[in-house]
Each structure stands twice: as structure tokens, then as C-alpha cells.
Amino acid sequence: MKKHILGLDLGTNSIGWAVVTEEDDQKRISCAGSRIIPMDAKLMGDFESGNSISQTKDRTQARGMRRLYERHALRRERLNRVLSILGFLPEHYTQDLNRYGQLNKGVEPKLAWTNTDGKYTFLFQDSFNEMVRDFGRVHPELLVNGRNIAYDWTIYYLRKKALTQAINKQELAWILHQFNQKRGYNQARGEEDEPKENKRQEFISEKVVSVRETGEKSKGKPQYEVCLENGWSFLKESKYPLDWEGKIKNFIVTTTLNDDGTEAKDKEGNVKRTFKAPSDDDWGLQKLKTQHDIDVSHKTVGEFIYDALLQNPDQKILGQLVRVVDRKYYKEELERILETQKQFIPELQNRDLYAESIKALYPQNEAYRNSIAGKDFTYLFLKDIIFYQRPLKSKKSLISECPYEYHVYKDKDGKWQRQYLKCISKSHPLYEEFRMWQFVENLHVYREAANGIGKDDCTSEYIPNKAELVKWLLTQKEVTEKSLLTYLVGKKHAGLSWNYVSDKDKKYPAAPVTATISAIWRESGGKETDLRKEITTEKNKHHRKISNKEQDKKAQDNNLTINALEQIWHILYSVSDKSQLVAALKHYAENNNLSSIFVDKLSKQKPFEADYGAYSEKAIRKLLNLMRCGEYWSEEAIDKKTRDRIDHILTAEVDDAISERVRVKLDSMNDVKDFQ
């Protein structure tokens, strides 16, 4: 009888198996195999520790790298297309390009090197010889000993030379290709390091005079006192003895400041400072160090690198001399190079070549070609090709739809369809006011009962005017139980509480956007106005009792109108690029007679969170006209459709849109004023 036996070898990162067939006392292996789980030691450690492992992490990372490469290749193709029209590319490189600027499949020519029968020749030998003579003046021993100087350093020599002297067209093309590859770090708005209050952070490079062990321990490690050449000293714990004495060390120094800007001191009279050395994995501090070195040298990145190599040929560039640098440093350098080379290369000022170039880049987009027709090659290389930043894709489709407001349209089959409007952003000034009226309507103030049992509702006693409370809330970024009761009663509010969570640490959002913009407007020289009174004059979004032109005139008179408030919010909400935001705010400030404080402070505001309310802006405007009360309520502000429904309720006129339940609930309404 034939028998099959399955054998399994289960390991931590592999499974082995074999099938043994037994027949007539004969055994043989019918088949066998193994399955290896591809995990390195770190992943195995996480797996054995019970940590979850993302199945898509590696694929996501690889996809991101592919996209970066594709975008770099696309920029290179566009750059090659323009350089071909200008005639800047070497012949050996051009013959491997198609008419779209793409390299032929399977080839990767080097712009600075020619390949003849497997023998490479450097194309810019004259510039290389000039650089060698430069090194010979500073380091004559290099030439005597016959040491090789890297051909690749020629690019940094050319970047420095191009700032003041003429270079040829092909050398400029090589420089443009390098800038296309290394563009610097583009810091998006909102990613900036927030300046800490009463803190000053600076980079220093100082010689260590002495290192002394104090005899004490911190975190279980011996403590050392480090004295610097400038007279500063600090304590540092280290598991191993510090061999810093006589060496130049780099530090990020954070100094604590008083409210008046003076340096704070401890009980012993020493300035409060903390020292941190930039570590290899702390790219933020490395970036600060690199940019500090470049700023102090008053040089461009190319100049800085070349001069450093000139002084120390053993200097490692990438990863040591230059780490992460803001993109603005590269943009400023390339702009200076192009503006200088315009004086020596006539093609860079040829309008016909420029028109041909933009037509090659945008053959079908005539509108955009016309919009940049008045620009030049400096703009084209900088803004349109090399440093072009793709805007983020719109995720508007993910925003919820308003349940009330919609517009109708005919589809391709001629049928009428409804398209509901998208909900309003929670950062919108109108939504903040909407939320405050909701908050006040639901707010109750309680007092402990006289008999000590339970609480009495005393809301009407302490909040006789809801409109005044809303007006105050719109000047607050957040509200707590203590701050609200202090506003209503004063500091002596013992025994009082509200109906929300009574926790001294619990903070509720009020109107942070409205309060911030209003405060900066006043600080910038604008006049303080009652925004809600401006709002009540609106009939609806499109028909205002005060026109937009009149609103804008009031803004120019330094009055912050609701129209101006919404315009400022829209700039902050819609502009993601930091430089574009500054330009837009500067333009607005100039038009409205505001000081530079307006631009400085608003440009530092973080982008609003992508959070949305339950209704559209159109619905919010209609709702607000009914939610407002007191001096902020206006019968004229109610839109016609809503007013007609109110009239039908008051006159008991038949209206299929009004349910019987609604009529019963509003039975006590006898006048239109009751609907506020």
C-alpha cells in the first residue's frame, strides 16, 4: 500500500517541506521545497516583538522614488528642448536626443564628456586648466607631486566664474543641468520651525579651551564642564571622556530671553544658555549650520564649495561640507549667473528664440504662452523649468456636500441634475460666527441652590444680551469656563458654572482666525470696527445693501469690513507657496494703507487645517441671518425665499414645503421679529 508523509520544518523566517512516499518498505522523497520570508534582522526583531509591519511601506517608498526620478527626467527633457533651440548643447549629446528633448532608449551620454571608441575626453579642458592654475597658486605642492585634481570640480569653478566673467554656451548648459539635478530643499508653508517665545537660537563655531570632569553624574554618566574660547561654558554628560580640548566644535546655542528682550540669568547670575551639537541624523540642525556658514561667507553655494576645495582639497563636499540647503540659495545663485551671462551671450536676449522656446514647451496652450510672452530666459529657466514646483492635487472631491444648497445643470443626455455645494471650511470667518451663535444659544449658566441641593439656572440673569457675548467671543481665539464667567460676572464667580465640561484645562475654540486677523489689522494701523454690523447689511451673497466697491472703499479708509476679512482669509487659505503669500499680502497691504507688520505677522501664520463644517457657505449665510439677534439682527438681511416661507407660516397660507410639524413648533411666532 502506498503511503504519503508530509514533513514540515517551521522556522522563524522560513518554512521547509517535503513529501515522502512509502511503498513496499521503500521510501523516497517525491517532492520538496522551501519558502523564505525576506526579512532582515531589524524586521525580524520587530516581528518577534509583536510590532505590526506595513505590507505597503516598501512599495510606497519605491513609488515615491520613481515619481521623483520621473519629475527630474521631465524637467531635463524640457530643459534639453530649450537648450537645443538655443544651440547650447554639445554635438555628441544632441545626437542622442529626440525632438522632445528625451534621451534615446538605452543611452545615457555625459554632457561634459565625449566617448570615442570607449575613450572618454573631457569637453571643457581649457576651464579645467584654468582651475589647475588656480590650485597651483594656493597649493603648488599638488602640481609638483603630480597629484590628480578631479575634473568634476570644474563645475564649481565655472559656477564661481560665471558670476562675474564670460563662459561659453556649452559650459552654461552644463551648469543648468547641475542645477536641475540639485535644486535645494523647498520648505512648504507651515513647515517652518516655529520661533520659540523668549528664545534666541544661533549657530557658533568655537575653540574648546578646557574640559574638566566635575565629579558629579547626570543620567548615570560622568559630567564635564566645557569652557569655550569666547568665555562661555556649559555642562555636558558623556559616557566616554571628552577629547575636545584644543579643537574647534560646532554648537547650536539657545539663549533664554526676558520679556524686554534682554538675556535671562539664573540665581548665580549666569546667562541661561543650552548647547547642542548638530548630530549626523539631525538634518534640521545640519541645515541651520550649513546655511549659517554660507551666510557668514557672503558667497553663493557654488562659490562656497569651490573656495572650500581651494583651501582644503581633501574636503568632502556632499554629506559633510554641504548638507541640506534652502532652495532660495540655489535660485539666487542661478539668477545671478543668468543675468551676468546675458551680457556675453546674445541668444539669452533674443526674443525670437524665446518665442520659439515657449512654443516648443507649450504647443497647445496658447493662453499660457501669451501670459509669459513678456518674460525672458531667466524667468523660463528659473520659474518654469528648473525650480518649477508642482501644485498639490485638489482633494475637493473628498469634502462633504451640503444637505440644503445645490445648483442644477443639464447632463450630456439633456436631463436636469442636482449638484450639491461643498461644505464650508471651519476656518472661514462666517463659520466661526455661526459656531459662536450656536455656542451661545446652547450655553447655560448655573448657580448653586440656596439650600445646597442642586443648581439653579440663572442664564437670563448673567446673559441678558446674547449679541454682546457673541461680539466678545469673536475677539477670542479660545474660551474656557473661567474666562467666560470672568467676562460675565468678574473675578468673583465662585459658585457659578456652565453646562459644558467644567475642567480648568478644557479649552473650546472660539474665533481664532477672526481674532488674529482683527488684532493684526489694528496693529498695522487699521481701525477697529464692529464687523457684525457690517454683516447685517447683507441681503445675501450676491445682493448687498452695501456694495463690494463701498466695502473696499471702507477697507481703504482703514476700516476692517467683513468683505475685507473674507478677502484676507481667502489669501491665507488658498495660497500655499510662502513667497507667493508674501507677495499677495504685500499687494493687499499697499492697497489698504497698512504697515509692514501686516505682511510680517500674517505670512507667519500656519496653514489652516483641512477641516470642514456640515453646511455650505451659501447655507451658512442664510442661517446666520436668522441666528443673529439683538442689534445684529436685520429683517432686510433675510433672503427672499426664506422670508416667503416665514410669511406663509405667519399667515397660515398653504405651502407644501412646510410640514405640519414645523407649523406646530412655530405656533407661538406672531411676528417676523420672533424669528431671530
Side-chain angles (χ1 to χ4, degrees):
M1 180 179 178
K2 186 183 290 186
K3 185 189 298 183
H4 299 287
I5 303 171
L6 172 65
L8 297 175
D9 175 20
L10 304 179
T12 55
N13 62 339
S14 66
I15 299 174
W17 60 273
V19 176
V20 177
T21 303
E22 183 178 349
E23 185 177 11
D24 298 331
D25 296 330
Q26 298 289 326
K27 294 182 180 180
R28 61 185 179 85
I29 299 176
S30 300
C31 53
S34 64
R35 178 70 67 182
I36 308 299
I37 302 174
M39 287 188 179
D40 56 23
K42 181 179 181 301
L43 286 175
M44 284 301 302
D46 290 338
F47 180 77
E48 292 172 357
S49 301
N51 298 333
S52 61
I53 299 174
S54 172
Q55 299 296 317
T56 60
K57 179 183 175 182
D58 292 340
R59 293 206 308 272
T60 302
Q61 187 177 8
R63 183 169 63 250
M65 293 174 66
R66 287 198 305 271
R67 285 176 176 171
L68 289 176
Y69 176 77
E70 288 167 3
R71 289 166 190 164
H72 165 260
L74 179 60
R75 290 195 307 271
R76 184 179 61 186
E77 292 164 12
R78 289 163 52 80
L79 180 61
N80 285 338
R81 213 178 303 176
V82 175
L83 293 176
S84 295
I85 293 171
L86 289 170
F88 284 12
L89 293 174
E91 184 179 350
H92 77 277
Y93 189 85
T94 307
Q95 66 186 11
D96 285 327
L97 293 178
N98 61 23
R99 64 192 182 96
Y100 298 108
Q102 300 168 337
L103 292 171
N104 295 327
K105 191 173 182 179
V107 297
E108 189 68 32
K110 304 298 181 183
L111 194 147
W113 294 84
T114 60
N115 184 1
T116 306
D117 298 329
K119 183 180 180 181
Y120 284 92
T121 305
F122 189 62
L123 191 63
F124 310 116
Q125 191 65 41
D126 292 340
S127 296
F128 173 74
N129 293 334
E130 291 177 11
M131 181 185 69
V132 170
R133 288 194 292 271
D134 226 8
F135 273 88
R137 285 191 291 270
V138 181
H139 297 282
E141 70 278 3
L142 292 181
L143 305 183
V144 174
N145 297 331
R147 177 175 170 178
N148 292 327
I149 297 176
Y151 281 102
D152 289 344
W153 292 356
T154 311
I155 187 68
Y156 301 113
Y157 170 75
L158 288 173
R159 281 169 62 174
K160 179 179 179 179
K161 179 182 178 181
L163 294 168
T164 55
Q165 303 173 51
I167 59 174
N168 66 46
K169 303 170 187 177
Q170 295 177 351
E171 289 172 336
L172 180 59
W174 191 27
I175 290 174
L176 289 170
H177 266 256
Q178 195 198 37
F179 274 99
N180 182 59
Q181 187 176 8
K182 296 180 175 64
R183 305 191 301 162
Y185 172 69
N186 182 50
Q187 192 169 50
R189 181 180 162 226
E191 294 182 355
E192 303 92 345
D193 295 330
E194 288 189 48
K196 298 178 181 178
E197 292 186 7
N198 297 332
K199 299 284 185 183
R200 182 182 69 220
Q201 197 174 55
E202 56 189 329
F203 174 84
I204 67 167
S205 185
E206 287 288 333
K207 183 179 180 180
V208 178
V209 177
S210 64
V211 178
R212 180 182 64 86
E213 188 172 356
T214 62
E216 299 180 359
K217 288 191 175 184
S218 175
K219 299 178 183 179
K221 301 175 184 177
Q223 195 175 66
Y224 296 87
E225 182 185 29
V226 181
C227 297
L228 305 179
E229 195 173 33
N230 63 357
W232 293 355
S233 62
F234 64 96
L235 298 175
K236 177 176 177 59
E237 66 274 0
S238 176
K239 185 177 180 180
Y240 304 101
L242 296 177
D243 58 344
W244 290 1
E245 194 166 319
K247 296 181 179 180
I248 303 293
K249 302 297 290 184
N250 300 320
F251 300 100
I252 303 296
V253 183
T254 304
T255 307
T256 305
L257 305 176
N258 297 315
D259 293 335
D260 58 358
T262 58
E263 296 177 340
K265 297 184 178 180
D266 56 22
K267 295 179 180 179
E268 299 176 357
N270 299 319
V271 177
K272 293 181 179 179
R273 291 193 185 95
T274 57
F275 292 74
K276 186 176 181 180
S279 59
D280 291 338
D281 58 350
D282 194 336
W283 74 268
L285 293 180
Q286 290 290 352
K287 174 172 169 284
L288 186 65
K289 173 190 178 302
T290 305
Q291 292 177 178
H292 172 271
D293 292 341
I294 295 173
D295 290 337
V296 169
S297 68
H298 301 292
K299 300 173 182 177
T300 64
V301 179
E303 280 183 297
F304 178 74
I305 294 174
Y306 179 71
D307 288 345
L309 289 172
L310 200 59
Q311 297 302 318
N312 180 16
D314 295 324
Q315 172 70 60
K316 187 176 184 292
I317 301 173
L318 299 179
Q320 184 174 338
L321 180 64
V322 175
R323 290 287 185 100
V324 186
V325 183
D326 268 342
R327 185 167 294 177
K328 67 175 184 177
Y329 290 90
Y330 289 93
K331 292 177 78 172
E332 290 170 0
E333 179 182 355
L334 184 55
E335 185 173 11
R336 283 181 57 187
I337 289 173
L338 290 171
E339 290 299 318
T340 301
Q341 295 310 307
K342 276 183 181 180
Q343 305 170 27
F344 307 109
I345 304 176
E347 286 87 347
L348 292 176
Q349 300 191 54
N350 189 309
R351 300 306 302 175
D352 293 335
L353 288 176
Y354 178 74
E356 186 181 350
S357 297
I358 61 176
K359 187 174 182 179
L361 292 176
Y362 304 101
Q364 306 297 330
N365 195 341
E366 184 179 357
Y368 186 74
R369 288 205 310 268
N370 293 336
S371 69
I372 63 173
K375 307 291 185 181
D376 58 6
F377 278 109
T378 301
Y379 173 87
L380 192 66
F381 286 128
L382 254 68
K383 303 290 181 67
D384 206 81
I385 300 177
I386 296 178
F387 296 109
Y388 170 77
Q389 188 67 29
R390 179 186 64 85
L392 295 175
K393 292 182 180 179
S394 172
K395 294 296 181 181
K396 191 176 180 180
S397 59
L398 301 179
I399 302 174
S400 300
E401 294 179 342
C402 177
Y404 300 128
E405 295 296 340
Y406 58 87
H407 66 82
V408 293
Y409 67 96
K410 277 187 178 180
D411 60 18
K412 60 182 180 180
D413 298 325
K415 296 181 180 180
W416 289 99
Q417 302 289 346
R418 284 187 180 183
Q419 177 63 55
Y420 283 87
L421 304 183
K422 295 296 182 179
C423 292
I424 192 173
S425 169
K426 286 187 176 181
S427 61
H428 197 290
L430 285 179
Y431 186 83
E432 288 188 335
E433 189 199 356
F434 169 79
R435 193 176 61 235
M436 288 304 96
W437 284 108
Q438 269 191 324
F439 179 81
V440 171
E441 184 63 29
N442 296 325
L443 177 66
H444 289 273
V445 178
Y446 297 105
R447 181 196 296 118
E448 292 181 1
N451 58 7
I453 301 175
K455 295 181 179 181
D456 297 328
D457 191 333
C458 55
T459 306
S460 58
E461 177 184 346
Y462 291 109
I463 311 179
N465 190 335
K466 293 181 180 178
E468 283 298 314
L469 179 55
V470 170
K471 179 181 177 181
W472 175 77
L473 286 170
L474 289 170
T475 65
Q476 306 298 306
K477 295 182 180 180
E478 55 191 19
V479 62
T480 62
E481 182 183 42
K482 181 180 179 181
S483 65
L484 185 130
L485 293 177
T486 301
Y487 167 76
L488 295 175
V489 184
K491 293 185 178 180
K492 298 181 180 180
H493 51 71
L496 295 178
S497 61
W498 66 4
N499 58 316
Y500 294 102
V501 176
S502 293
D503 185 347
K504 63 179 181 179
D505 297 326
K506 179 68 174 177
K507 297 177 181 179
Y508 291 84
V513 176
T514 302
T516 299
I517 295 177
S518 300
I520 294 175
W521 180 279
R522 293 191 299 270
E523 196 174 347
S524 306
K527 297 176 183 176
E528 184 174 6
T529 56
D530 193 340
L531 290 171
R532 302 315 111 190
K533 287 189 176 180
E534 293 288 350
I535 295 175
T536 58
T537 61
E538 300 178 14
K539 286 189 175 179
N540 55 42
K541 182 177 179 181
H542 303 289
H543 306 286
R544 303 173 185 266
K545 201 169 186 179
I546 293 181
S547 67
N548 281 343
K549 289 184 178 180
E550 290 175 297
Q551 292 268 17
D552 293 339
K553 177 63 171 61
K554 288 190 176 186
Q556 290 174 2
D557 292 337
N558 275 14
N559 291 318
L560 180 60
T561 63
I562 184 59
N563 194 44
L565 182 67
E566 289 186 39
Q567 287 177 359
I568 297 168
W569 169 84
H570 193 269
I571 293 173
L572 297 174
Y573 174 80
S574 59
V575 181
S576 57
D577 183 76
K578 183 68 179 287
S579 59
Q580 293 178 1
L581 176 67
V582 171
L585 290 173
K586 188 175 181 180
H587 179 72
Y588 189 90
E590 290 172 352
N591 288 344
N592 294 280
N593 305 318
L594 299 171
S595 69
S596 59
I597 297 175
F598 179 82
V599 180
D600 294 340
K601 293 204 169 182
L602 281 180
S603 62
K604 294 177 182 176
Q605 296 296 314
K606 282 198 167 185
F608 303 126
E609 292 185 9
D611 207 358
Y612 297 86
Y615 311 110
S616 64
E617 180 184 339
K618 186 176 181 180
I620 291 288
R621 288 182 186 276
K622 291 182 178 180
L623 287 168
L624 277 173
N625 292 329
L626 298 173
M627 297 174 72
R628 297 185 183 112
C629 63
E631 61 181 308
Y632 300 113
W633 184 79
S634 171
E635 181 181 341
E636 296 177 351
I638 302 174
D639 66 284
K640 185 178 184 303
K641 185 177 179 180
T642 305
R643 180 57 194 267
D644 289 343
R645 296 182 70 187
I646 290 175
D647 290 340
H648 293 167
I649 291 172
L650 294 175
T651 60
E653 185 176 339
V654 176
D655 188 339
D656 294 337
I658 303 174
S659 67
E660 189 62 30
R661 184 185 177 196
V662 171
R663 290 186 182 275
V664 171
K665 291 178 72 71
L666 302 180
D667 185 57
S668 60
M669 303 292 191
N670 300 313
D671 189 86
V672 68
K673 293 182 180 179
D674 295 334
F675 285 83
Q676 59 180 299

